[in-house]
Amino acid sequence: MGIMRRWRKPQVLMIRTLIFLSALLLFAGVGGTVKASPKVNVKKVTSVNSLTGSKTIKLAKGKKATLKTTVSVTPNKTANKKVTYESSNTKVATVTSKGVITGKKAGTAKIIVRPAKNKKLKAVVTVKVVKGRVTSVKLDKTSGTLTKGKTVKLKASVKTTSGGSKDVVWTTSNKKVATVSSKGTVKAVGTGTAVITAKAADGSGKKAAYKVKVKNAAGGSIAFANDTVSTIYTSCEVRIRLLCSSPQHGKVSWETSDPEVLDFVTEPGQNDVEGDNVLIYANQAGTATIKAAVDGKSVSHKITVKDFTPQYTYEINFLNPPYADGQYNIVYIKTDNPSTDNFNLFFYDTATGQENEPMLVPAAFEYADMKSMGPMVPSFLYKTDGGYVGVFAFEISGKTEITVQEFALDANGNKMSDRPGDGMPVIANAVLGYIDIRDYNKEKEAWMQSVIDQVTTGSMSKKEKMQAITSYMRLHSIYYKLAADNGRYVNIAAEGGVPFWKFEEYEFDSFSSPALLTAFGEMIDYPLENLYDKYKRGTAEWYAWHMVARSIEDGTNYQFCPPTDSNLIDTSKVAQIDLSSWNFYTCYR
Protein backbone atom coordinates (compact mmCIF):
# COMPACT_ATOMS: atom_id res chain seq x y z
CA MET A 1 0.00 0.00 0.00
CA GLY A 2 1.59 3.32 -1.02
CA ILE A 3 2.12 6.33 1.26
CA MET A 4 0.06 9.33 0.42
CA ARG A 5 1.80 12.74 0.68
CA ARG A 6 -0.23 15.90 1.06
CA TRP A 7 1.39 19.00 -0.39
CA ARG A 8 0.37 22.36 1.10
CA LYS A 9 -0.28 25.25 -1.14
CA PRO A 10 2.47 27.92 -1.14
CA GLN A 11 -0.01 30.59 0.01
CA VAL A 12 -0.86 28.61 3.13
CA LEU A 13 2.82 28.08 3.98
CA MET A 14 3.59 31.77 3.63
CA ILE A 15 0.72 32.81 5.89
CA ARG A 16 1.75 30.35 8.63
CA THR A 17 5.39 31.49 8.42
CA LEU A 18 4.34 35.10 8.87
CA ILE A 19 2.21 34.19 11.86
CA PHE A 20 5.15 32.33 13.43
CA LEU A 21 7.55 35.23 12.89
CA SER A 22 5.04 37.68 14.33
CA ALA A 23 4.75 35.54 17.43
CA LEU A 24 8.50 35.51 17.84
CA LEU A 25 8.65 39.28 17.53
CA LEU A 26 5.82 39.66 20.03
CA PHE A 27 7.66 37.38 22.47
CA ALA A 28 10.87 39.36 22.08
CA GLY A 29 9.00 42.59 22.70
CA VAL A 30 7.24 41.29 25.80
CA GLY A 31 9.62 38.91 27.52
CA GLY A 32 12.95 39.57 25.76
CA THR A 33 15.66 41.98 26.96
CA VAL A 34 16.02 45.27 25.12
CA LYS A 35 19.38 47.01 25.49
CA ALA A 36 18.97 50.62 26.57
CA SER A 37 20.55 53.33 24.41
CA PRO A 38 23.45 55.13 26.08
CA LYS A 39 22.72 58.59 27.47
CA VAL A 40 23.82 61.43 25.22
CA ASN A 41 25.94 64.04 27.02
CA VAL A 42 26.71 67.24 25.12
CA LYS A 43 29.63 69.00 26.83
CA LYS A 44 30.43 71.97 24.61
CA VAL A 45 29.64 73.64 21.30
CA THR A 46 31.83 76.17 19.43
CA SER A 47 31.36 77.91 16.10
CA VAL A 48 33.71 80.18 14.10
CA ASN A 49 34.16 81.55 10.60
CA SER A 50 35.67 78.71 8.57
CA LEU A 51 37.81 81.25 6.68
CA THR A 52 39.17 83.39 9.51
CA GLY A 53 38.67 81.18 12.56
CA SER A 54 37.06 84.12 14.37
CA LYS A 55 33.78 84.42 16.29
CA THR A 56 33.29 87.87 14.73
CA ILE A 57 32.56 88.08 11.02
CA LYS A 58 32.76 91.20 8.85
CA LEU A 59 30.64 90.42 5.82
CA ALA A 60 29.88 92.44 2.72
CA LYS A 61 26.25 92.87 1.76
CA GLY A 62 25.13 90.02 -0.45
CA LYS A 63 28.22 87.90 0.36
CA LYS A 64 28.41 84.62 2.21
CA ALA A 65 30.43 83.07 5.02
CA THR A 66 30.37 79.49 6.26
CA LEU A 67 30.51 78.53 9.91
CA LYS A 68 32.71 75.75 11.24
CA THR A 69 30.95 74.16 14.22
CA THR A 70 32.38 71.68 16.68
CA VAL A 71 30.29 69.68 19.18
CA SER A 72 31.94 67.82 22.06
CA VAL A 73 29.59 64.95 22.92
CA THR A 74 29.47 61.39 24.21
CA PRO A 75 28.81 59.01 22.61
CA ASN A 76 30.96 60.60 19.91
CA LYS A 77 28.63 59.90 16.99
CA THR A 78 27.64 62.04 14.03
CA ALA A 79 23.96 61.72 14.88
CA ASN A 80 24.63 63.35 18.26
CA LYS A 81 26.45 66.35 16.73
CA LYS A 82 23.53 67.92 14.86
CA VAL A 83 22.94 71.62 15.53
CA THR A 84 20.45 74.30 14.66
CA TYR A 85 21.31 77.80 13.46
CA GLU A 86 19.23 80.90 14.16
CA SER A 87 19.77 84.57 13.30
CA SER A 88 18.83 87.25 15.81
CA ASN A 89 18.06 89.65 12.93
CA THR A 90 17.20 88.10 9.60
CA LYS A 91 16.96 91.54 8.03
CA VAL A 92 20.72 91.93 8.60
CA ALA A 93 21.92 88.34 8.11
CA THR A 94 20.34 84.97 7.45
CA VAL A 95 21.74 81.54 8.10
CA THR A 96 20.92 78.16 6.56
CA SER A 97 20.65 74.82 8.32
CA LYS A 98 24.16 74.13 6.99
CA GLY A 99 25.63 77.19 8.69
CA VAL A 100 25.95 79.36 5.58
CA ILE A 101 25.48 83.05 6.46
CA THR A 102 24.35 85.69 3.92
CA GLY A 103 24.70 89.43 4.55
CA LYS A 104 21.40 91.22 3.80
CA LYS A 105 21.96 94.82 4.85
CA ALA A 106 24.33 96.87 6.94
CA GLY A 107 24.03 96.19 10.63
CA THR A 108 24.80 93.62 13.30
CA ALA A 109 23.20 90.27 13.95
CA LYS A 110 24.03 87.31 16.13
CA ILE A 111 23.95 83.74 14.94
CA ILE A 112 22.94 81.36 17.74
CA VAL A 113 24.11 77.76 17.39
CA ARG A 114 22.47 75.09 19.58
CA PRO A 115 23.08 71.34 19.76
CA ALA A 116 20.00 69.35 18.87
CA LYS A 117 20.65 67.06 21.85
CA ASN A 118 20.98 69.88 24.39
CA LYS A 119 19.15 73.12 23.63
CA LYS A 120 20.46 74.69 26.85
CA LEU A 121 23.94 75.00 25.37
CA LYS A 122 24.75 77.52 22.68
CA ALA A 123 27.51 79.26 20.77
CA VAL A 124 27.17 82.83 19.51
CA VAL A 125 28.80 84.31 16.41
CA THR A 126 28.59 88.05 15.77
CA VAL A 127 28.02 89.13 12.17
CA LYS A 128 28.70 92.70 11.11
CA VAL A 129 27.38 93.41 7.63
CA VAL A 130 29.16 96.36 6.04
CA LYS A 131 27.93 98.55 3.23
CA GLY A 132 30.91 98.23 0.94
CA ARG A 133 32.85 95.26 -0.42
CA VAL A 134 36.38 94.45 -1.46
CA THR A 135 37.03 95.05 -5.14
CA SER A 136 40.66 93.95 -5.30
CA VAL A 137 43.59 92.56 -3.27
CA LYS A 138 47.20 93.06 -4.35
CA LEU A 139 50.52 92.15 -2.75
CA ASP A 140 53.74 94.12 -2.91
CA LYS A 141 55.50 90.91 -4.02
CA THR A 142 54.22 88.08 -6.17
CA SER A 143 57.15 85.68 -5.98
CA GLY A 144 60.53 85.27 -4.36
CA THR A 145 63.26 82.98 -3.06
CA LEU A 146 64.18 82.56 0.59
CA THR A 147 66.99 80.77 2.38
CA LYS A 148 65.80 78.31 4.97
CA GLY A 149 65.28 80.11 8.29
CA LYS A 150 64.83 83.57 6.72
CA THR A 151 61.63 85.69 6.72
CA VAL A 152 59.93 88.27 4.49
CA LYS A 153 57.10 90.69 5.31
CA LEU A 154 54.31 90.91 2.72
CA LYS A 155 52.08 93.96 2.43
CA ALA A 156 48.54 93.64 1.13
CA SER A 157 46.79 96.54 -0.62
CA VAL A 158 43.01 96.20 -0.38
CA LYS A 159 40.54 98.35 -2.32
CA THR A 160 36.86 98.51 -1.34
CA THR A 161 33.73 100.37 -2.19
CA SER A 162 32.53 102.87 0.39
CA GLY A 163 32.27 101.36 3.89
CA GLY A 164 33.98 98.08 3.01
CA SER A 165 36.27 96.03 5.35
CA LYS A 166 39.96 95.70 4.41
CA ASP A 167 40.61 92.67 6.60
CA VAL A 168 42.47 89.83 4.92
CA VAL A 169 43.26 86.24 5.93
CA TRP A 170 46.75 84.84 5.32
CA THR A 171 47.23 81.15 4.44
CA THR A 172 50.02 78.89 3.17
CA SER A 173 49.73 75.96 0.79
CA ASN A 174 52.54 74.03 2.52
CA LYS A 175 53.40 74.59 6.19
CA LYS A 176 56.46 72.34 5.88
CA VAL A 177 57.99 74.78 3.40
CA ALA A 178 56.78 78.19 4.58
CA THR A 179 54.54 79.57 7.31
CA VAL A 180 52.76 82.91 7.44
CA SER A 181 51.59 84.98 10.40
CA SER A 182 48.34 86.95 10.76
CA LYS A 183 50.38 90.06 9.91
CA GLY A 184 51.75 88.64 6.64
CA THR A 185 55.25 87.63 7.82
CA VAL A 186 56.46 84.62 5.84
CA LYS A 187 59.10 82.28 7.33
CA ALA A 188 61.02 79.69 5.30
CA VAL A 189 61.11 76.42 7.26
CA GLY A 190 61.95 73.73 4.68
CA THR A 191 63.16 73.39 1.14
CA GLY A 192 60.53 73.41 -1.63
CA THR A 193 57.80 75.69 -2.99
CA ALA A 194 54.73 77.15 -1.30
CA VAL A 195 52.01 79.66 -2.19
CA ILE A 196 51.09 82.32 0.35
CA THR A 197 47.56 83.72 -0.15
CA ALA A 198 45.96 86.91 1.17
CA LYS A 199 42.19 86.61 0.87
CA ALA A 200 39.51 89.20 1.67
CA ALA A 201 37.68 88.28 4.87
CA ASP A 202 34.37 89.88 3.78
CA GLY A 203 33.29 86.94 1.64
CA SER A 204 33.92 88.71 -1.63
CA GLY A 205 36.42 86.06 -2.65
CA LYS A 206 39.06 88.56 -3.73
CA LYS A 207 42.63 87.39 -3.14
CA ALA A 208 46.28 87.67 -4.14
CA ALA A 209 49.14 85.17 -4.02
CA TYR A 210 52.88 85.11 -3.38
CA LYS A 211 54.90 82.12 -4.61
CA VAL A 212 57.98 81.41 -2.54
CA LYS A 213 60.83 79.00 -3.22
CA VAL A 214 62.86 77.91 -0.20
CA LYS A 215 66.40 76.63 -0.51
CA ASN A 216 69.20 75.69 1.86
CA ALA A 217 71.88 78.16 2.79
CA ALA A 218 74.79 78.08 0.40
CA GLY A 219 78.27 77.13 1.60
CA GLY A 220 79.17 75.81 5.05
CA SER A 221 81.11 72.78 6.20
CA ILE A 222 80.27 69.62 8.17
CA ALA A 223 82.35 67.42 10.43
CA PHE A 224 81.91 64.90 13.24
CA ALA A 225 82.35 66.32 16.74
CA ASN A 226 85.71 65.87 18.45
CA ASP A 227 84.20 63.54 21.05
CA THR A 228 83.07 61.03 18.42
CA VAL A 229 84.21 57.58 19.55
CA SER A 230 86.41 55.31 17.50
CA THR A 231 85.80 52.28 19.72
CA ILE A 232 82.63 51.03 21.39
CA TYR A 233 81.83 47.87 23.35
CA THR A 234 79.12 45.43 22.31
CA SER A 235 75.59 45.98 23.66
CA CYS A 236 76.33 49.66 24.25
CA GLU A 237 74.72 52.81 22.91
CA VAL A 238 76.61 56.01 22.23
CA ARG A 239 75.60 59.39 20.81
CA ILE A 240 77.46 60.85 17.85
CA ARG A 241 77.12 64.45 16.71
CA LEU A 242 77.48 66.18 13.36
CA LEU A 243 78.71 69.78 13.42
CA CYS A 244 77.38 72.04 10.64
CA SER A 245 78.90 75.51 10.23
CA SER A 246 75.64 76.81 8.77
CA PRO A 247 72.68 76.81 11.18
CA GLN A 248 70.22 76.83 8.23
CA HIS A 249 71.08 73.44 6.76
CA GLY A 250 68.91 70.75 5.27
CA LYS A 251 67.94 67.39 6.70
CA VAL A 252 70.83 65.16 7.73
CA SER A 253 70.77 61.62 6.41
CA TRP A 254 72.62 58.83 8.23
CA GLU A 255 73.97 55.50 6.98
CA THR A 256 75.88 52.57 8.45
CA SER A 257 78.04 50.30 6.32
CA ASP A 258 77.17 47.23 8.42
CA PRO A 259 73.97 47.29 10.52
CA GLU A 260 74.85 43.89 11.98
CA VAL A 261 77.82 45.56 13.66
CA LEU A 262 76.54 49.11 14.21
CA ASP A 263 72.97 50.29 13.80
CA PHE A 264 70.95 53.38 14.64
CA VAL A 265 68.45 53.72 17.48
CA THR A 266 65.10 55.35 16.73
CA GLU A 267 64.49 57.56 19.74
CA PRO A 268 61.10 58.14 21.45
CA GLY A 269 58.87 60.56 19.56
CA GLN A 270 60.65 60.00 16.25
CA ASN A 271 59.66 57.93 13.26
CA ASP A 272 63.16 57.75 11.85
CA VAL A 273 66.79 58.51 12.63
CA GLU A 274 66.95 62.27 12.31
CA GLY A 275 68.69 65.38 13.49
CA ASP A 276 72.29 66.51 13.95
CA ASN A 277 72.96 63.90 16.65
CA VAL A 278 71.90 60.26 16.77
CA LEU A 279 72.25 57.16 18.92
CA ILE A 280 74.10 54.15 17.59
CA TYR A 281 73.97 50.63 19.06
CA ALA A 282 76.79 48.09 18.96
CA ASN A 283 75.31 44.72 17.99
CA GLN A 284 78.44 42.60 17.68
CA ALA A 285 82.21 42.82 17.37
CA GLY A 286 83.51 44.17 14.08
CA THR A 287 84.07 47.42 12.20
CA ALA A 288 81.51 49.68 10.53
CA THR A 289 81.57 53.13 8.95
CA ILE A 290 79.00 55.78 9.87
CA LYS A 291 78.20 58.29 7.10
CA ALA A 292 76.36 61.58 7.51
CA ALA A 293 75.22 63.66 4.52
CA VAL A 294 73.56 67.09 4.24
CA ASP A 295 73.22 69.68 1.48
CA GLY A 296 75.33 67.68 -0.95
CA LYS A 297 78.21 67.17 1.50
CA SER A 298 79.09 64.02 3.41
CA VAL A 299 81.57 62.80 6.02
CA SER A 300 82.41 59.30 7.23
CA HIS A 301 83.82 57.87 10.46
CA LYS A 302 85.04 54.34 11.12
CA ILE A 303 84.10 52.77 14.46
CA THR A 304 85.38 49.48 15.86
CA VAL A 305 83.09 47.37 18.04
CA LYS A 306 84.69 44.91 20.42
CA ASP A 307 83.71 42.75 23.37
CA PHE A 308 84.77 44.08 26.75
CA THR A 309 87.07 41.74 28.64
CA PRO A 310 89.03 42.36 31.87
CA GLN A 311 91.93 44.68 31.20
CA TYR A 312 93.96 43.60 34.24
CA THR A 313 95.27 40.32 35.62
CA TYR A 314 94.13 38.84 38.92
CA GLU A 315 95.42 36.07 41.16
CA ILE A 316 93.68 35.28 44.45
CA ASN A 317 95.46 33.59 47.34
CA PHE A 318 94.64 32.67 50.94
CA LEU A 319 97.30 32.83 53.63
CA ASN A 320 95.82 29.64 55.07
CA PRO A 321 93.14 27.13 54.01
CA PRO A 322 89.84 29.02 54.43
CA TYR A 323 87.16 28.04 56.93
CA ALA A 324 83.48 28.98 57.07
CA ASP A 325 81.24 29.62 60.12
CA GLY A 326 82.57 33.13 60.73
CA GLN A 327 86.32 32.40 60.80
CA TYR A 328 88.44 35.36 59.66
CA ASN A 329 90.46 34.41 56.57
CA ILE A 330 93.26 36.58 55.18
CA VAL A 331 93.15 36.99 51.38
CA TYR A 332 95.86 38.43 49.13
CA ILE A 333 94.82 39.52 45.63
CA LYS A 334 97.75 39.95 43.31
CA THR A 335 96.75 42.33 40.50
CA ASP A 336 97.94 45.26 38.39
CA ASN A 337 94.56 46.99 38.74
CA PRO A 338 95.37 50.38 40.30
CA SER A 339 92.08 50.85 42.16
CA THR A 340 89.55 48.75 44.06
CA ASP A 341 86.86 51.02 42.54
CA ASN A 342 87.45 49.28 39.21
CA PHE A 343 86.54 45.74 40.25
CA ASN A 344 84.51 43.57 42.63
CA LEU A 345 85.04 40.05 43.96
CA PHE A 346 82.20 37.54 44.11
CA PHE A 347 82.11 34.12 45.76
CA TYR A 348 79.52 31.53 44.63
CA ASP A 349 78.65 28.25 46.29
CA THR A 350 78.82 25.74 43.44
CA ALA A 351 76.34 23.35 45.06
CA THR A 352 73.50 25.90 45.11
CA GLY A 353 74.69 28.59 42.71
CA GLN A 354 74.00 31.18 45.41
CA GLU A 355 76.43 33.90 46.34
CA ASN A 356 78.56 33.00 49.36
CA GLU A 357 78.58 36.62 50.43
CA PRO A 358 81.30 37.49 52.97
CA MET A 359 79.98 38.68 56.31
CA LEU A 360 80.03 42.38 57.14
CA VAL A 361 81.48 42.75 60.63
CA PRO A 362 81.40 46.13 62.46
CA ALA A 363 84.97 45.79 63.67
CA ALA A 364 88.52 46.38 62.49
CA PHE A 365 91.43 43.98 62.92
CA GLU A 366 95.11 44.83 63.26
CA TYR A 367 97.71 42.13 62.77
CA ALA A 368 101.04 42.22 64.54
CA ASP A 369 102.80 40.59 61.58
CA MET A 370 101.19 42.97 59.04
CA LYS A 371 101.66 46.31 60.79
CA SER A 372 101.86 48.26 57.53
CA MET A 373 98.23 47.41 56.72
CA GLY A 374 96.83 49.11 59.82
CA PRO A 375 93.22 48.35 60.93
CA MET A 376 91.26 46.29 58.37
CA VAL A 377 87.47 45.92 58.31
CA PRO A 378 86.25 42.52 57.05
CA SER A 379 85.01 42.38 53.42
CA PHE A 380 87.07 45.42 52.34
CA LEU A 381 90.32 45.44 50.37
CA TYR A 382 93.42 47.41 51.33
CA LYS A 383 96.31 48.38 49.07
CA THR A 384 99.63 46.61 49.52
CA ASP A 385 102.65 45.76 47.40
CA GLY A 386 101.56 43.99 44.24
CA GLY A 387 97.84 44.09 44.99
CA TYR A 388 95.40 44.13 47.88
CA VAL A 389 94.85 42.39 51.23
CA GLY A 390 91.48 41.76 52.88
CA VAL A 391 89.82 39.87 55.71
CA PHE A 392 86.88 37.67 54.70
CA ALA A 393 84.45 35.70 56.87
CA PHE A 394 82.25 33.14 55.06
CA GLU A 395 79.06 31.48 56.23
CA ILE A 396 78.87 28.62 53.70
CA SER A 397 81.40 25.81 53.40
CA GLY A 398 82.12 23.73 50.32
CA LYS A 399 83.44 24.28 46.79
CA THR A 400 83.27 27.97 45.98
CA GLU A 401 83.74 29.76 42.65
CA ILE A 402 85.69 33.03 42.78
CA THR A 403 84.78 35.59 40.10
CA VAL A 404 86.14 39.05 39.44
CA GLN A 405 83.82 41.69 37.96
CA GLU A 406 85.71 44.49 36.26
CA PHE A 407 84.25 47.84 35.14
CA ALA A 408 85.04 49.45 31.80
CA LEU A 409 86.59 52.91 32.12
CA ASP A 410 86.64 55.84 29.72
CA ALA A 411 89.68 57.95 28.86
CA ASN A 412 89.18 59.99 32.04
CA GLY A 413 89.04 56.94 34.29
CA ASN A 414 85.27 57.11 34.84
CA LYS A 415 83.03 54.05 34.74
CA MET A 416 81.34 53.64 31.36
CA SER A 417 77.60 53.03 30.95
CA ASP A 418 75.91 50.98 28.26
CA ARG A 419 73.84 54.01 27.25
CA PRO A 420 73.97 57.77 27.80
CA GLY A 421 72.36 59.11 30.96
CA ASP A 422 70.69 56.33 32.92
CA GLY A 423 72.56 53.29 31.65
CA MET A 424 74.09 50.35 33.50
CA PRO A 425 77.87 49.96 34.01
CA VAL A 426 79.78 48.08 31.32
CA ILE A 427 81.29 45.06 33.06
CA ALA A 428 83.16 41.86 32.30
CA ASN A 429 83.24 38.79 34.52
CA ALA A 430 86.14 36.37 34.74
CA VAL A 431 86.26 33.20 36.82
CA LEU A 432 89.55 33.16 38.73
CA GLY A 433 89.08 29.59 39.94
CA TYR A 434 87.68 27.58 42.83
CA ILE A 435 88.46 27.22 46.51
CA ASP A 436 87.35 24.62 49.04
CA ILE A 437 86.03 26.41 52.11
CA ARG A 438 86.16 24.02 55.05
CA ASP A 439 83.40 23.33 57.55
CA TYR A 440 84.71 24.68 60.86
CA ASN A 441 81.94 23.26 63.05
CA LYS A 442 82.12 19.81 61.49
CA GLU A 443 85.90 19.57 61.96
CA LYS A 444 85.63 20.98 65.47
CA GLU A 445 83.10 18.31 66.41
CA ALA A 446 85.38 15.61 64.97
CA TRP A 447 88.33 16.94 67.04
CA MET A 448 86.17 17.01 70.19
CA GLN A 449 85.18 13.40 69.62
CA SER A 450 88.85 12.48 69.21
CA VAL A 451 89.59 14.10 72.59
CA ILE A 452 86.73 12.15 74.20
CA ASP A 453 88.03 8.90 72.67
CA GLN A 454 91.57 9.69 73.85
CA VAL A 455 90.95 10.61 77.50
CA THR A 456 87.83 8.63 78.47
CA THR A 457 86.74 5.00 78.64
CA GLY A 458 83.41 3.25 78.50
CA SER A 459 83.66 2.30 82.18
CA MET A 460 83.84 5.91 83.34
CA SER A 461 80.84 7.75 84.70
CA LYS A 462 79.77 10.96 82.91
CA LYS A 463 81.24 13.00 85.76
CA GLU A 464 84.56 11.18 85.49
CA LYS A 465 84.61 11.75 81.73
CA MET A 466 84.06 15.49 82.16
CA GLN A 467 86.81 15.64 84.77
CA ALA A 468 89.20 13.89 82.36
CA ILE A 469 88.28 16.24 79.49
CA THR A 470 88.73 19.30 81.71
CA SER A 471 92.14 18.05 82.87
CA TYR A 472 93.21 17.49 79.25
CA MET A 473 92.16 21.00 78.21
CA ARG A 474 93.89 22.56 81.23
CA LEU A 475 97.10 20.74 80.34
CA HIS A 476 97.10 21.76 76.65
CA SER A 477 95.68 25.29 76.75
CA ILE A 478 97.19 28.75 77.06
CA TYR A 479 95.55 32.17 77.08
CA TYR A 480 95.00 34.13 73.86
CA LYS A 481 98.02 36.14 72.81
CA LEU A 482 98.36 39.36 74.78
CA ALA A 483 100.72 42.27 74.17
CA ALA A 484 103.28 42.35 76.96
CA ASP A 485 103.24 46.15 77.12
CA ASN A 486 99.49 46.85 77.32
CA GLY A 487 97.74 43.50 77.77
CA ARG A 488 95.63 43.83 74.60
CA TYR A 489 94.74 40.94 72.33
CA VAL A 490 97.23 40.32 69.56
CA ASN A 491 96.10 39.07 66.14
CA ILE A 492 98.57 37.18 63.97
CA ALA A 493 97.79 37.11 60.23
CA ALA A 494 99.91 34.01 59.71
CA GLU A 495 97.45 32.18 62.00
CA GLY A 496 94.36 33.84 60.52
CA GLY A 497 91.48 31.41 60.07
CA VAL A 498 93.47 28.44 61.43
CA PRO A 499 91.38 26.47 64.00
CA PHE A 500 92.80 26.31 67.54
CA TRP A 501 93.16 22.53 67.48
CA LYS A 502 95.72 22.79 64.68
CA PHE A 503 98.26 24.15 67.19
CA GLU A 504 100.15 22.27 69.92
CA GLU A 505 98.73 24.62 72.52
CA TYR A 506 95.14 25.73 72.33
CA GLU A 507 94.33 29.40 72.90
CA PHE A 508 91.32 30.15 75.15
CA ASP A 509 89.96 32.78 77.50
CA SER A 510 87.23 33.01 80.14
CA PHE A 511 84.54 33.38 77.47
CA SER A 512 85.50 30.57 75.08
CA SER A 513 86.63 27.98 77.67
CA PRO A 514 83.28 27.44 79.51
CA ALA A 515 81.51 27.45 76.13
CA LEU A 516 83.73 24.56 74.94
CA LEU A 517 83.15 22.61 78.18
CA THR A 518 79.38 23.06 77.71
CA ALA A 519 79.70 21.63 74.18
CA PHE A 520 81.70 18.66 75.48
CA GLY A 521 78.97 18.06 78.07
CA GLU A 522 76.34 17.80 75.34
CA MET A 523 78.43 15.20 73.50
CA ILE A 524 78.76 12.93 76.55
CA ASP A 525 75.17 13.54 77.69
CA TYR A 526 76.29 15.43 80.80
CA PRO A 527 74.57 18.85 80.62
CA LEU A 528 76.46 21.87 81.92
CA GLU A 529 75.39 25.44 82.53
CA ASN A 530 77.72 28.12 81.16
CA LEU A 531 78.02 30.69 83.99
CA TYR A 532 79.58 33.42 81.84
CA ASP A 533 76.23 35.17 81.32
CA LYS A 534 74.58 34.00 84.56
CA TYR A 535 75.64 37.04 86.59
CA LYS A 536 75.73 40.71 85.77
CA ARG A 537 79.03 41.54 84.14
CA GLY A 538 81.44 43.36 86.50
CA THR A 539 79.87 42.15 89.74
CA ALA A 540 81.71 40.10 92.37
CA GLU A 541 79.67 37.02 91.42
CA TRP A 542 80.59 37.44 87.78
CA TYR A 543 84.31 37.72 88.51
CA ALA A 544 84.08 34.62 90.69
CA TRP A 545 82.15 32.38 88.30
CA HIS A 546 82.21 33.66 84.69
CA MET A 547 84.91 31.17 83.58
CA VAL A 548 83.04 28.17 85.04
CA ALA A 549 80.69 25.57 83.57
CA ARG A 550 78.50 23.88 86.24
CA SER A 551 76.88 20.46 86.10
CA ILE A 552 73.09 20.69 86.03
CA GLU A 553 72.83 17.15 87.47
CA ASP A 554 75.20 17.28 90.47
CA GLY A 555 76.39 20.92 90.73
CA THR A 556 80.06 20.14 90.12
CA ASN A 557 82.06 23.10 88.76
CA TYR A 558 84.46 22.71 85.83
CA GLN A 559 86.98 25.21 84.47
CA PHE A 560 90.24 25.22 82.54
CA CYS A 561 90.64 28.90 81.63
CA PRO A 562 94.42 29.48 81.37
CA PRO A 563 96.08 32.30 83.33
CA THR A 564 96.29 35.58 81.43
CA ASP A 565 100.08 35.75 81.71
CA SER A 566 100.58 32.39 79.97
CA ASN A 567 100.94 33.85 76.46
CA LEU A 568 102.45 37.34 76.67
CA ILE A 569 104.40 38.42 73.59
CA ASP A 570 106.51 41.39 72.56
CA THR A 571 104.73 42.74 69.48
CA SER A 572 107.78 44.75 68.45
CA LYS A 573 109.65 41.51 67.79
CA VAL A 574 106.95 39.79 65.70
CA ALA A 575 108.33 38.98 62.22
CA GLN A 576 106.48 40.69 59.36
CA ILE A 577 104.91 38.60 56.59
CA ASP A 578 106.63 38.77 53.18
CA LEU A 579 103.79 38.27 50.73
CA SER A 580 106.21 37.82 47.83
CA SER A 581 107.52 34.58 49.35
CA TRP A 582 104.50 33.29 51.28
CA ASN A 583 103.38 29.73 50.59
CA PHE A 584 99.75 30.59 49.79
CA TYR A 585 96.73 28.33 49.68
CA THR A 586 95.69 29.13 46.09
CA CYS A 587 92.53 28.53 44.13
CA TYR A 588 92.42 25.88 41.43
CA ARG A 589 90.85 25.65 37.98
Side-chain angles (χ1 to χ4, degrees), residues 137-139 154-158 167-171 195-201 205-210:
V137 177
K138 290 185 178 180
L139 295 177
L154 299 180
K155 182 178 180 181
S157 298
V158 182
D167 293 347
V168 294
V169 179
W170 296 92
T171 58
V195 176
I196 306 299
T197 302
K199 187 175 183 180
K206 300 299 181 180
K207 60 184 177 180
Y210 169 78

Side-chain angles (χ1 to χ4, degrees), residues 5 31 93 208 245 460 520 550:
R5 298 181 184 271
S245 61
M460 288 182 173
F520 269 119
R550 179 175 293 161

Side-chain angles (χ1 to χ4, degrees), residues 12 66 76 113 229 282-283 287 298 314 358 406 410 414 456 460 463 522 538 568:
V12 176
T66 303
N76 187 21
V113 186
V229 299
N283 290 306
T287 301
S298 65
Y314 303 86
E406 186 178 303
D410 61 18
N414 300 316
T456 68
M460 288 182 173
K463 182 177 180 178
E522 291 180 3
L568 297 177

Side-chain angles (χ1 to χ4, degrees), residues 506-518:
Y506 314 139
E507 294 186 355
F508 281 92
D509 61 10
S510 58
F511 172 79
S512 57
S513 57
L516 182 66
L517 288 175
T518 303

